[in-house]
PDB file of all heavy atoms in Angstrom:
ATOM      1  N   MET A   1      36.081  15.017-137.725  1.00 51.00           N
ATOM      2  CA  MET A   1      36.534  15.648-138.968  1.00 51.00           C
ATOM      3  C   MET A   1      35.996  14.880-140.152  1.00 51.00           C
ATOM      4  O   MET A   1      35.722  13.674-140.090  1.00 51.00           O
ATOM      5  CB  MET A   1      38.075  15.756-138.949  1.00 51.00           C
ATOM      6  CG  MET A   1      38.834  14.655-139.664  1.00 51.00           C
ATOM      7  SD  MET A   1      40.598  15.037-139.710  1.00 51.00           S
ATOM      8  CE  MET A   1      40.754  15.748-141.322  1.00 51.00           C
ATOM      9  N   LYS A   2      35.881  15.577-141.141  1.00 59.00           N
ATOM     10  CA  LYS A   2      35.323  14.994-142.373  1.00 59.00           C
ATOM     11  C   LYS A   2      36.383  14.158-143.068  1.00 59.00           C
ATOM     12  O   LYS A   2      37.504  14.604-143.280  1.00 59.00           O
ATOM     13  CB  LYS A   2      34.836  16.144-143.267  1.00 59.00           C
ATOM     14  CG  LYS A   2      34.195  15.734-144.546  1.00 59.00           C
ATOM     15  CD  LYS A   2      32.710  15.536-144.356  1.00 59.00           C
ATOM     16  CE  LYS A   2      32.062  15.186-145.710  1.00 59.00           C
ATOM     17  NZ  LYS A   2      30.923  14.316-145.534  1.00 59.00           N
ATOM     18  N   ARG A   3      36.046  12.898-143.355  1.00 67.00           N
ATOM     19  CA  ARG A   3      37.019  12.050-144.028  1.00 67.00           C
ATOM     20  C   ARG A   3      36.397  11.476-145.294  1.00 67.00           C
ATOM     21  O   ARG A   3      35.184  11.254-145.347  1.00 67.00           O
ATOM     22  CB  ARG A   3      37.390  10.863-143.133  1.00 67.00           C
ATOM     23  CG  ARG A   3      38.401  11.200-142.091  1.00 67.00           C
ATOM     24  CD  ARG A   3      39.026   9.938-141.563  1.00 67.00           C
ATOM     25  NE  ARG A   3      39.932  10.275-140.457  1.00 67.00           N
ATOM     26  CZ  ARG A   3      39.538  10.470-139.212  1.00 67.00           C
ATOM     27  NH1 ARG A   3      38.255  10.350-138.923  1.00 67.00           N
ATOM     28  NH2 ARG A   3      40.383  10.796-138.291  1.00 67.00           N
ATOM     29  N   ASP A   7      38.788   6.312-146.423  1.00 76.00           N
ATOM     30  CA  ASP A   7      39.518   6.380-145.151  1.00 76.00           C
ATOM     31  C   ASP A   7      38.680   5.799-144.023  1.00 76.00           C
ATOM     32  O   ASP A   7      39.180   5.085-143.157  1.00 76.00           O
ATOM     33  CB  ASP A   7      39.850   7.839-144.812  1.00 76.00           C
ATOM     34  CG  ASP A   7      41.166   8.242-145.438  1.00 76.00           C
ATOM     35  OD1 ASP A   7      41.651   7.459-146.284  1.00 76.00           O
ATOM     36  OD2 ASP A   7      41.692   9.294-145.075  1.00 76.00           O
ATOM     37  N   SER A  11      39.716   2.855-141.677  1.00 84.00           N
ATOM     38  CA  SER A  11      39.785   3.062-140.230  1.00 84.00           C
ATOM     39  C   SER A  11      38.994   1.982-139.508  1.00 84.00           C
ATOM     40  O   SER A  11      39.482   1.352-138.574  1.00 84.00           O
ATOM     41  CB  SER A  11      39.229   4.456-139.882  1.00 84.00           C
ATOM     42  OG  SER A  11      38.779   4.480-138.557  1.00 84.00           O
ATOM     43  N   SER A  16      38.789  -2.799-136.164  1.00 90.00           N
ATOM     44  CA  SER A  16      38.253  -4.142-135.903  1.00 90.00           C
ATOM     45  C   SER A  16      39.379  -5.141-135.742  1.00 90.00           C
ATOM     46  O   SER A  16      39.362  -5.989-134.832  1.00 90.00           O
ATOM     47  CB  SER A  16      37.350  -4.589-137.057  1.00 90.00           C
ATOM     48  OG  SER A  16      36.293  -3.691-137.204  1.00 90.00           O
ATOM     49  N   ARG A  18      42.521  -4.580-134.869  1.00 92.00           N
ATOM     50  CA  ARG A  18      43.248  -4.365-133.609  1.00 92.00           C
ATOM     51  C   ARG A  18      42.405  -4.762-132.387  1.00 92.00           C
ATOM     52  O   ARG A  18      42.907  -5.317-131.422  1.00 92.00           O
ATOM     53  CB  ARG A  18      43.661  -2.883-133.474  1.00 92.00           C
ATOM     54  CG  ARG A  18      44.756  -2.478-134.454  1.00 92.00           C
ATOM     55  CD  ARG A  18      46.080  -3.045-133.980  1.00 92.00           C
ATOM     56  NE  ARG A  18      47.150  -2.875-134.966  1.00 92.00           N
ATOM     57  CZ  ARG A  18      48.069  -1.916-134.914  1.00 92.00           C
ATOM     58  NH1 ARG A  18      48.022  -1.015-133.982  1.00 92.00           N
ATOM     59  NH2 ARG A  18      49.030  -1.863-135.813  1.00 92.00           N
ATOM     60  N   LEU A  22      43.576  -7.335-129.526  1.00 92.00           N
ATOM     61  CA  LEU A  22      43.672  -7.043-128.096  1.00 92.00           C
ATOM     62  C   LEU A  22      42.616  -7.813-127.304  1.00 92.00           C
ATOM     63  O   LEU A  22      42.887  -8.292-126.198  1.00 92.00           O
ATOM     64  CB  LEU A  22      43.530  -5.539-127.844  1.00 92.00           C
ATOM     65  CG  LEU A  22      44.111  -5.086-126.509  1.00 92.00           C
ATOM     66  CD1 LEU A  22      45.606  -5.294-126.469  1.00 92.00           C
ATOM     67  CD2 LEU A  22      43.781  -3.631-126.232  1.00 92.00           C
ATOM     68  N   VAL A  34      41.382 -17.494-114.611  1.00 94.00           N
ATOM     69  CA  VAL A  34      40.548 -18.652-114.254  1.00 94.00           C
ATOM     70  C   VAL A  34      41.430 -19.823-113.833  1.00 94.00           C
ATOM     71  O   VAL A  34      41.147 -20.515-112.853  1.00 94.00           O
ATOM     72  CB  VAL A  34      39.628 -19.039-115.436  1.00 94.00           C
ATOM     73  CG1 VAL A  34      38.908 -20.353-115.132  1.00 94.00           C
ATOM     74  CG2 VAL A  34      38.623 -17.937-115.689  1.00 94.00           C
ATOM     75  N   ARG A  36      44.309 -19.665-112.498  1.00 92.00           N
ATOM     76  CA  ARG A  36      44.849 -19.359-111.175  1.00 92.00           C
ATOM     77  C   ARG A  36      43.809 -19.647-110.093  1.00 92.00           C
ATOM     78  O   ARG A  36      44.117 -20.229-109.054  1.00 92.00           O
ATOM     79  CB  ARG A  36      45.276 -17.884-111.139  1.00 92.00           C
ATOM     80  CG  ARG A  36      45.815 -17.417-109.815  1.00 92.00           C
ATOM     81  CD  ARG A  36      47.162 -18.009-109.507  1.00 92.00           C
ATOM     82  NE  ARG A  36      47.766 -17.386-108.336  1.00 92.00           N
ATOM     83  CZ  ARG A  36      48.880 -17.789-107.765  1.00 92.00           C
ATOM     84  NH1 ARG A  36      49.533 -18.824-108.267  1.00 92.00           N
ATOM     85  NH2 ARG A  36      49.364 -17.166-106.716  1.00 92.00           N
ATOM     86  N   MET A  37      42.576 -19.232-110.365  1.00 92.00           N
ATOM     87  CA  MET A  37      41.495 -19.512-109.408  1.00 92.00           C
ATOM     88  C   MET A  37      41.364 -21.016-109.205  1.00 92.00           C
ATOM     89  O   MET A  37      41.190 -21.502-108.088  1.00 92.00           O
ATOM     90  CB  MET A  37      40.152 -18.994-109.940  1.00 92.00           C
ATOM     91  CG  MET A  37      39.988 -17.498-109.900  1.00 92.00           C
ATOM     92  SD  MET A  37      38.415 -17.082-110.670  1.00 92.00           S
ATOM     93  CE  MET A  37      38.691 -15.372-111.073  1.00 92.00           C
ATOM     94  N   LEU A  40      44.201 -22.329-107.042  1.00 90.00           N
ATOM     95  CA  LEU A  40      44.126 -21.950-105.629  1.00 90.00           C
ATOM     96  C   LEU A  40      42.889 -22.520-104.957  1.00 90.00           C
ATOM     97  O   LEU A  40      42.946 -23.040-103.846  1.00 90.00           O
ATOM     98  CB  LEU A  40      44.115 -20.423-105.485  1.00 90.00           C
ATOM     99  CG  LEU A  40      45.384 -19.669-105.862  1.00 90.00           C
ATOM    100  CD1 LEU A  40      45.156 -18.181-105.726  1.00 90.00           C
ATOM    101  CD2 LEU A  40      46.533 -20.103-104.973  1.00 90.00           C
ATOM    102  N   GLN A  41      41.761 -22.412-105.635  1.00 91.00           N
ATOM    103  CA  GLN A  41      40.500 -22.731-104.960  1.00 91.00           C
ATOM    104  C   GLN A  41      40.145 -24.206-105.055  1.00 91.00           C
ATOM    105  O   GLN A  41      39.456 -24.726-104.199  1.00 91.00           O
ATOM    106  CB  GLN A  41      39.368 -21.890-105.545  1.00 91.00           C
ATOM    107  CG  GLN A  41      39.590 -20.413-105.294  1.00 91.00           C
ATOM    108  CD  GLN A  41      38.368 -19.607-105.647  1.00 91.00           C
ATOM    109  OE1 GLN A  41      38.009 -19.488-106.817  1.00 91.00           O
ATOM    110  NE2 GLN A  41      37.712 -19.059-104.650  1.00 91.00           N
ATOM    111  N   SER A  45      42.780 -25.882-101.973  1.00 87.00           N
ATOM    112  CA  SER A  45      41.793 -25.356-101.021  1.00 87.00           C
ATOM    113  C   SER A  45      41.948 -25.987 -99.637  1.00 87.00           C
ATOM    114  O   SER A  45      41.768 -25.322 -98.623  1.00 87.00           O
ATOM    115  CB  SER A  45      40.379 -25.569-101.547  1.00 87.00           C
ATOM    116  OG  SER A  45      40.055 -26.935-101.528  1.00 87.00           O
ATOM    117  N   ARG A  49      42.304 -23.910 -96.358  1.00 87.00           N
ATOM    118  CA  ARG A  49      41.284 -24.044 -95.327  1.00 87.00           C
ATOM    119  C   ARG A  49      41.945 -24.262 -93.964  1.00 87.00           C
ATOM    120  O   ARG A  49      41.577 -23.683 -92.955  1.00 87.00           O
ATOM    121  CB  ARG A  49      40.362 -25.215 -95.697  1.00 87.00           C
ATOM    122  CG  ARG A  49      39.172 -25.423 -94.791  1.00 87.00           C
ATOM    123  CD  ARG A  49      38.125 -24.336 -94.918  1.00 87.00           C
ATOM    124  NE  ARG A  49      37.499 -24.243 -96.228  1.00 87.00           N
ATOM    125  CZ  ARG A  49      36.333 -24.783 -96.550  1.00 87.00           C
ATOM    126  NH1 ARG A  49      35.682 -25.495 -95.674  1.00 87.00           N
ATOM    127  NH2 ARG A  49      35.812 -24.618 -97.743  1.00 87.00           N
ATOM    128  N   ASN A  55      44.499 -19.679 -88.322  1.00 81.00           N
ATOM    129  CA  ASN A  55      44.364 -18.258 -88.049  1.00 81.00           C
ATOM    130  C   ASN A  55      43.343 -17.997 -86.967  1.00 81.00           C
ATOM    131  O   ASN A  55      43.556 -17.226 -86.056  1.00 81.00           O
ATOM    132  CB  ASN A  55      43.846 -17.543 -89.302  1.00 81.00           C
ATOM    133  CG  ASN A  55      44.958 -16.910 -90.092  1.00 81.00           C
ATOM    134  OD1 ASN A  55      46.043 -16.724 -89.591  1.00 81.00           O
ATOM    135  ND2 ASN A  55      44.677 -16.582 -91.322  1.00 81.00           N
ATOM    136  N   ARG A  56      42.197 -18.657 -87.110  1.00 83.00           N
ATOM    137  CA  ARG A  56      41.049 -18.185 -86.339  1.00 83.00           C
ATOM    138  C   ARG A  56      40.860 -18.950 -85.040  1.00 83.00           C
ATOM    139  O   ARG A  56      40.187 -18.478 -84.147  1.00 83.00           O
ATOM    140  CB  ARG A  56      39.782 -18.252 -87.185  1.00 83.00           C
ATOM    141  CG  ARG A  56      39.200 -19.639 -87.294  1.00 83.00           C
ATOM    142  CD  ARG A  56      38.023 -19.707 -88.236  1.00 83.00           C
ATOM    143  NE  ARG A  56      37.687 -21.092 -88.438  1.00 83.00           N
ATOM    144  CZ  ARG A  56      36.647 -21.699 -87.869  1.00 83.00           C
ATOM    145  NH1 ARG A  56      35.844 -21.023 -87.103  1.00 83.00           N
ATOM    146  NH2 ARG A  56      36.430 -22.968 -88.076  1.00 83.00           N
ATOM    147  N   GLU A 225      37.225 -18.969 -81.180  1.00 83.00           N
ATOM    148  CA  GLU A 225      37.511 -18.295 -82.442  1.00 83.00           C
ATOM    149  C   GLU A 225      37.955 -16.886 -82.107  1.00 83.00           C
ATOM    150  O   GLU A 225      37.304 -16.190 -81.333  1.00 83.00           O
ATOM    151  CB  GLU A 225      36.239 -18.264 -83.287  1.00 83.00           C
ATOM    152  CG  GLU A 225      36.498 -17.815 -84.698  1.00 83.00           C
ATOM    153  CD  GLU A 225      35.231 -17.870 -85.518  1.00 83.00           C
ATOM    154  OE1 GLU A 225      34.451 -16.914 -85.469  1.00 83.00           O
ATOM    155  OE2 GLU A 225      35.017 -18.884 -86.193  1.00 83.00           O
ATOM    156  N   VAL A 226      39.075 -16.492 -82.675  1.00 80.00           N
ATOM    157  CA  VAL A 226      39.574 -15.146 -82.410  1.00 80.00           C
ATOM    158  C   VAL A 226      39.665 -14.396 -83.727  1.00 80.00           C
ATOM    159  O   VAL A 226      39.748 -15.001 -84.781  1.00 80.00           O
ATOM    160  CB  VAL A 226      40.980 -15.171 -81.760  1.00 80.00           C
ATOM    161  CG1 VAL A 226      40.925 -15.820 -80.412  1.00 80.00           C
ATOM    162  CG2 VAL A 226      41.963 -15.874 -82.665  1.00 80.00           C
ATOM    163  N   ASN A 227      39.651 -13.081 -83.619  1.00 78.00           N
ATOM    164  CA  ASN A 227      39.832 -12.297 -84.847  1.00 78.00           C
ATOM    165  C   ASN A 227      41.298 -11.924 -84.990  1.00 78.00           C
ATOM    166  O   ASN A 227      42.145 -12.383 -84.217  1.00 78.00           O
ATOM    167  CB  ASN A 227      38.908 -11.085 -84.865  1.00 78.00           C
ATOM    168  CG  ASN A 227      39.308 -10.042 -83.852  1.00 78.00           C
ATOM    169  OD1 ASN A 227      40.332 -10.165 -83.194  1.00 78.00           O
ATOM    170  ND2 ASN A 227      38.511  -9.022 -83.713  1.00 78.00           N
ATOM    171  N   ALA A 228      41.575 -11.095 -86.004  1.00 75.00           N
ATOM    172  CA  ALA A 228      42.974 -10.854 -86.358  1.00 75.00           C
ATOM    173  C   ALA A 228      43.765 -10.218 -85.225  1.00 75.00           C
ATOM    174  O   ALA A 228      44.960 -10.426 -85.119  1.00 75.00           O
ATOM    175  CB  ALA A 228      43.057  -9.989 -87.606  1.00 75.00           C
TER     176      ALA A 228
ATOM    177  N   MET B   1      30.459  13.195-143.111  1.00 47.00           N
ATOM    178  CA  MET B   1      29.418  13.091-142.082  1.00 47.00           C
ATOM    179  C   MET B   1      29.704  14.118-140.991  1.00 47.00           C
ATOM    180  O   MET B   1      30.727  14.068-140.316  1.00 47.00           O
ATOM    181  CB  MET B   1      29.451  11.657-141.512  1.00 47.00           C
ATOM    182  CG  MET B   1      28.523  11.408-140.411  1.00 47.00           C
ATOM    183  SD  MET B   1      28.385   9.627-140.100  1.00 47.00           S
ATOM    184  CE  MET B   1      30.058   9.182-139.648  1.00 47.00           C
ATOM    185  N   ASP B 135      41.163  10.796-134.065  1.00 92.00           N
ATOM    186  CA  ASP B 135      40.075  11.149-134.975  1.00 92.00           C
ATOM    187  C   ASP B 135      40.498  12.341-135.832  1.00 92.00           C
ATOM    188  O   ASP B 135      40.205  12.425-137.024  1.00 92.00           O
ATOM    189  CB  ASP B 135      38.830  11.477-134.156  1.00 92.00           C
ATOM    190  CG  ASP B 135      37.609  11.644-135.054  1.00 92.00           C
ATOM    191  OD1 ASP B 135      37.593  11.047-136.149  1.00 92.00           O
ATOM    192  OD2 ASP B 135      36.678  12.354-134.627  1.00 92.00           O
ATOM    193  N   TRP B 136      41.232  13.243-135.177  1.00 92.00           N
ATOM    194  CA  TRP B 136      41.679  14.469-135.862  1.00 92.00           C
ATOM    195  C   TRP B 136      42.819  14.155-136.818  1.00 92.00           C
ATOM    196  O   TRP B 136      42.888  14.673-137.926  1.00 92.00           O
ATOM    197  CB  TRP B 136      42.131  15.474-134.801  1.00 92.00           C
ATOM    198  CG  TRP B 136      42.927  16.625-135.335  1.00 92.00           C
ATOM    199  CD1 TRP B 136      42.447  17.753-135.946  1.00 92.00           C
ATOM    200  CD2 TRP B 136      44.343  16.765-135.304  1.00 92.00           C
ATOM    201  NE1 TRP B 136      43.447  18.586-136.318  1.00 92.00           N
ATOM    202  CE2 TRP B 136      44.654  17.988-135.915  1.00 92.00           C
ATOM    203  CE3 TRP B 136      45.390  15.960-134.818  1.00 92.00           C
ATOM    204  CZ2 TRP B 136      45.972  18.456-136.075  1.00 92.00           C
ATOM    205  CZ3 TRP B 136      46.680  16.432-134.971  1.00 92.00           C
ATOM    206  CH2 TRP B 136      46.971  17.656-135.586  1.00 92.00           C
ATOM    207  N   PHE B 183      46.971   1.762-129.864  1.00 94.00           N
ATOM    208  CA  PHE B 183      46.984   0.443-130.502  1.00 94.00           C
ATOM    209  C   PHE B 183      45.776   0.285-131.436  1.00 94.00           C
ATOM    210  O   PHE B 183      45.908  -0.107-132.592  1.00 94.00           O
ATOM    211  CB  PHE B 183      46.983  -0.635-129.425  1.00 94.00           C
ATOM    212  CG  PHE B 183      47.070  -2.044-129.936  1.00 94.00           C
ATOM    213  CD1 PHE B 183      48.305  -2.604-130.250  1.00 94.00           C
ATOM    214  CD2 PHE B 183      45.928  -2.807-130.117  1.00 94.00           C
ATOM    215  CE1 PHE B 183      48.381  -3.909-130.718  1.00 94.00           C
ATOM    216  CE2 PHE B 183      46.007  -4.109-130.579  1.00 94.00           C
ATOM    217  CZ  PHE B 183      47.246  -4.659-130.882  1.00 94.00           C
ATOM    218  N   VAL B 187      48.533   2.468-134.752  1.00 91.00           N
ATOM    219  CA  VAL B 187      49.957   2.793-134.698  1.00 91.00           C
ATOM    220  C   VAL B 187      50.745   1.502-134.946  1.00 91.00           C
ATOM    221  O   VAL B 187      50.368   0.431-134.443  1.00 91.00           O
ATOM    222  CB  VAL B 187      50.322   3.402-133.331  1.00 91.00           C
ATOM    223  CG1 VAL B 187      51.823   3.624-133.214  1.00 91.00           C
ATOM    224  CG2 VAL B 187      49.571   4.699-133.115  1.00 91.00           C
ATOM    225  N   GLN B 244      47.388 -13.434 -96.312  1.00 85.00           N
ATOM    226  CA  GLN B 244      46.039 -13.578 -95.779  1.00 85.00           C
ATOM    227  C   GLN B 244      45.023 -13.576 -96.910  1.00 85.00           C
ATOM    228  O   GLN B 244      44.005 -14.280 -96.861  1.00 85.00           O
ATOM    229  CB  GLN B 244      45.736 -12.459 -94.777  1.00 85.00           C
ATOM    230  CG  GLN B 244      46.588 -12.518 -93.521  1.00 85.00           C
ATOM    231  CD  GLN B 244      46.348 -13.784 -92.712  1.00 85.00           C
ATOM    232  OE1 GLN B 244      45.327 -14.431 -92.831  1.00 85.00           O
ATOM    233  NE2 GLN B 244      47.322 -14.158 -91.907  1.00 85.00           N
ATOM    234  N   LEU B 249      41.130 -16.572-100.299  1.00 90.00           N
ATOM    235  CA  LEU B 249      40.712 -17.006-101.627  1.00 90.00           C
ATOM    236  C   LEU B 249      40.741 -18.523-101.731  1.00 90.00           C
ATOM    237  O   LEU B 249      39.756 -19.146-102.147  1.00 90.00           O
ATOM    238  CB  LEU B 249      41.663 -16.377-102.656  1.00 90.00           C
ATOM    239  CG  LEU B 249      41.240 -16.500-104.100  1.00 90.00           C
ATOM    240  CD1 LEU B 249      41.072 -15.123-104.684  1.00 90.00           C
ATOM    241  CD2 LEU B 249      42.250 -17.284-104.899  1.00 90.00           C
ATOM    242  N   GLY B 250      41.861 -19.104-101.324  1.00 89.00           N
ATOM    243  CA  GLY B 250      42.018 -20.541-101.477  1.00 89.00           C
ATOM    244  C   GLY B 250      41.056 -21.337-100.617  1.00 89.00           C
ATOM    245  O   GLY B 250      40.555 -22.379-101.038  1.00 89.00           O
ATOM    246  N   SER B 251      40.752 -20.833 -99.416  1.00 89.00           N
ATOM    247  CA  SER B 251      39.906 -21.630 -98.520  1.00 89.00           C
ATOM    248  C   SER B 251      38.461 -21.658 -98.997  1.00 89.00           C
ATOM    249  O   SER B 251      37.638 -22.369 -98.425  1.00 89.00           O
ATOM    250  CB  SER B 251      39.996 -21.106 -97.085  1.00 89.00           C
ATOM    251  OG  SER B 251      39.482 -19.805 -97.017  1.00 89.00           O
ATOM    252  N   GLY B 253      37.381 -22.882-101.840  1.00 89.00           N
ATOM    253  CA  GLY B 253      37.099 -24.169-102.485  1.00 89.00           C
ATOM    254  C   GLY B 253      36.129 -24.014-103.654  1.00 89.00           C
ATOM    255  O   GLY B 253      36.065 -22.959-104.283  1.00 89.00           O
ATOM    256  N   ARG B 257      32.423 -20.886 -98.491  1.00 87.00           N
ATOM    257  CA  ARG B 257      32.032 -21.226 -97.126  1.00 87.00           C
ATOM    258  C   ARG B 257      30.652 -20.705 -96.800  1.00 87.00           C
ATOM    259  O   ARG B 257      30.183 -20.855 -95.688  1.00 87.00           O
ATOM    260  CB  ARG B 257      33.057 -20.642 -96.149  1.00 87.00           C
ATOM    261  CG  ARG B 257      34.477 -20.916 -96.593  1.00 87.00           C
ATOM    262  CD  ARG B 257      35.452 -20.735 -95.476  1.00 87.00           C
ATOM    263  NE  ARG B 257      35.334 -21.866 -94.558  1.00 87.00           N
ATOM    264  CZ  ARG B 257      36.213 -22.112 -93.584  1.00 87.00           C
ATOM    265  NH1 ARG B 257      37.238 -21.324 -93.419  1.00 87.00           N
ATOM    266  NH2 ARG B 257      36.054 -23.145 -92.788  1.00 87.00           N
ATOM    267  N   GLN B 264      38.064 -15.533 -92.739  1.00 85.00           N
ATOM    268  CA  GLN B 264      39.182 -14.617 -92.954  1.00 85.00           C
ATOM    269  C   GLN B 264      38.713 -13.162 -92.972  1.00 85.00           C
ATOM    270  O   GLN B 264      39.350 -12.287 -92.411  1.00 85.00           O
ATOM    271  CB  GLN B 264      39.871 -14.932 -94.283  1.00 85.00           C
ATOM    272  CG  GLN B 264      40.712 -16.164 -94.259  1.00 85.00           C
ATOM    273  CD  GLN B 264      41.976 -15.949 -93.436  1.00 85.00           C
ATOM    274  OE1 GLN B 264      42.068 -16.390 -92.300  1.00 85.00           O
ATOM    275  NE2 GLN B 264      42.945 -15.263 -94.007  1.00 85.00           N
ATOM    276  N   LEU B 267      36.689 -12.152 -89.445  1.00 80.00           N
ATOM    277  CA  LEU B 267      37.544 -11.974 -88.269  1.00 80.00           C
ATOM    278  C   LEU B 267      38.702 -11.026 -88.536  1.00 80.00           C
ATOM    279  O   LEU B 267      39.660 -10.972 -87.777  1.00 80.00           O
ATOM    280  CB  LEU B 267      38.071 -13.333 -87.806  1.00 80.00           C
ATOM    281  CG  LEU B 267      36.991 -14.344 -87.448  1.00 80.00           C
ATOM    282  CD1 LEU B 267      37.587 -15.702 -87.201  1.00 80.00           C
ATOM    283  CD2 LEU B 267      36.217 -13.902 -86.221  1.00 80.00           C
ATOM    284  N   ASN B 268      38.597 -10.300 -89.640  1.00 79.00           N
ATOM    285  CA  ASN B 268      39.568  -9.229 -89.932  1.00 79.00           C
ATOM    286  C   ASN B 268      40.972  -9.688 -90.262  1.00 79.00           C
ATOM    287  O   ASN B 268      41.907  -8.900 -90.186  1.00 79.00           O
ATOM    288  CB  ASN B 268      39.676  -8.237 -88.774  1.00 79.00           C
ATOM    289  CG  ASN B 268      38.504  -7.298 -88.753  1.00 79.00           C
ATOM    290  OD1 ASN B 268      37.938  -7.000 -89.808  1.00 79.00           O
ATOM    291  ND2 ASN B 268      38.122  -6.859 -87.581  1.00 79.00           N
ATOM    292  N   PHE B 269      41.142 -10.974 -90.592  1.00 81.00           N
ATOM    293  CA  PHE B 269      42.488 -11.376 -91.002  1.00 81.00           C
ATOM    294  C   PHE B 269      42.798 -10.790 -92.367  1.00 81.00           C
ATOM    295  O   PHE B 269      43.944 -10.546 -92.706  1.00 81.00           O
ATOM    296  CB  PHE B 269      42.604 -12.903 -91.051  1.00 81.00           C
ATOM    297  CG  PHE B 269      42.597 -13.516 -89.690  1.00 81.00           C
ATOM    298  CD1 PHE B 269      41.491 -14.150 -89.191  1.00 81.00           C
ATOM    299  CD2 PHE B 269      43.729 -13.419 -88.890  1.00 81.00           C
ATOM    300  CE1 PHE B 269      41.492 -14.679 -87.929  1.00 81.00           C
ATOM    301  CE2 PHE B 269      43.740 -13.961 -87.620  1.00 81.00           C
ATOM    302  CZ  PHE B 269      42.620 -14.590 -87.143  1.00 81.00           C
ATOM    303  N   ALA B 283      35.471 -14.698-103.128  1.00 93.00           N
ATOM    304  CA  ALA B 283      36.037 -16.010-103.428  1.00 93.00           C
ATOM    305  C   ALA B 283      35.939 -16.926-102.216  1.00 93.00           C
ATOM    306  O   ALA B 283      35.707 -18.120-102.351  1.00 93.00           O
ATOM    307  CB  ALA B 283      37.498 -15.856-103.850  1.00 93.00           C
ATOM    308  N   PHE B 288      34.963 -21.012-106.094  1.00 95.00           N
ATOM    309  CA  PHE B 288      35.370 -20.963-107.491  1.00 95.00           C
ATOM    310  C   PHE B 288      34.194 -20.524-108.369  1.00 95.00           C
ATOM    311  O   PHE B 288      34.345 -19.706-109.270  1.00 95.00           O
ATOM    312  CB  PHE B 288      35.858 -22.351-107.909  1.00 95.00           C
ATOM    313  CG  PHE B 288      36.348 -22.437-109.318  1.00 95.00           C
ATOM    314  CD1 PHE B 288      37.514 -21.783-109.707  1.00 95.00           C
ATOM    315  CD2 PHE B 288      35.657 -23.181-110.257  1.00 95.00           C
ATOM    316  CE1 PHE B 288      37.968 -21.883-111.006  1.00 95.00           C
ATOM    317  CE2 PHE B 288      36.106 -23.275-111.564  1.00 95.00           C
ATOM    318  CZ  PHE B 288      37.269 -22.624-111.942  1.00 95.00           C
ATOM    319  N   SER B 291      33.643 -16.810-108.043  1.00 95.00           N
ATOM    320  CA  SER B 291      34.732 -16.043-108.652  1.00 95.00           C
ATOM    321  C   SER B 291      34.591 -16.025-110.167  1.00 95.00           C
ATOM    322  O   SER B 291      34.720 -14.964-110.802  1.00 95.00           O
ATOM    323  CB  SER B 291      36.089 -16.659-108.296  1.00 95.00           C
ATOM    324  OG  SER B 291      36.154 -16.947-106.931  1.00 95.00           O
ATOM    325  N   ARG B 315      35.016   6.948-136.155  1.00 90.00           N
ATOM    326  CA  ARG B 315      36.343   6.665-135.594  1.00 90.00           C
ATOM    327  C   ARG B 315      36.447   7.100-134.137  1.00 90.00           C
ATOM    328  O   ARG B 315      36.939   6.358-133.282  1.00 90.00           O
ATOM    329  CB  ARG B 315      37.398   7.388-136.443  1.00 90.00           C
ATOM    330  CG  ARG B 315      38.828   7.001-136.103  1.00 90.00           C
ATOM    331  CD  ARG B 315      39.761   7.484-137.188  1.00 90.00           C
ATOM    332  NE  ARG B 315      41.159   7.436-136.785  1.00 90.00           N
ATOM    333  CZ  ARG B 315      41.906   6.337-136.809  1.00 90.00           C
ATOM    334  NH1 ARG B 315      41.379   5.190-137.191  1.00 90.00           N
ATOM    335  NH2 ARG B 315      43.175   6.395-136.456  1.00 90.00           N
ATOM    336  N   MET B 340      45.247 -12.344-106.394  1.00 89.00           N
ATOM    337  CA  MET B 340      45.529 -13.773-106.523  1.00 89.00           C
ATOM    338  C   MET B 340      47.024 -14.043-106.510  1.00 89.00           C
ATOM    339  O   MET B 340      47.459 -15.146-106.801  1.00 89.00           O
ATOM    340  CB  MET B 340      44.906 -14.316-107.805  1.00 89.00           C
ATOM    341  CG  MET B 340      43.417 -14.529-107.650  1.00 89.00           C
ATOM    342  SD  MET B 340      42.718 -15.490-108.982  1.00 89.00           S
ATOM    343  CE  MET B 340      42.370 -14.240-110.158  1.00 89.00           C
TER     344      MET B 340
END
Side-chain angles (χ1 to χ4, degrees):
Chain A
M1 97 173 263
K2 182 89 177 149
R3 279 198 185 83
D7 272 12
S11 156
S16 301
R18 290 285 171 100
L22 201 65
V34 172
R36 178 70 171 173
M37 286 176 200
L40 292 177
Q41 296 190 291
S45 70
R49 185 70 63 97
N55 262 343
R56 78 185 171 104
E225 190 177 84
V226 296
N227 70 5
Chain B
M1 176 167 62
D135 189 26
W136 165 80
F183 183 83
V187 175
Q244 294 297 339
L249 191 120
S251 64
R257 314 197 74 169
Q264 286 289 102
L267 301 172
N268 283 330
F269 289 104
F288 182 68
S291 313
R315 189 166 166 81
M340 282 193 273

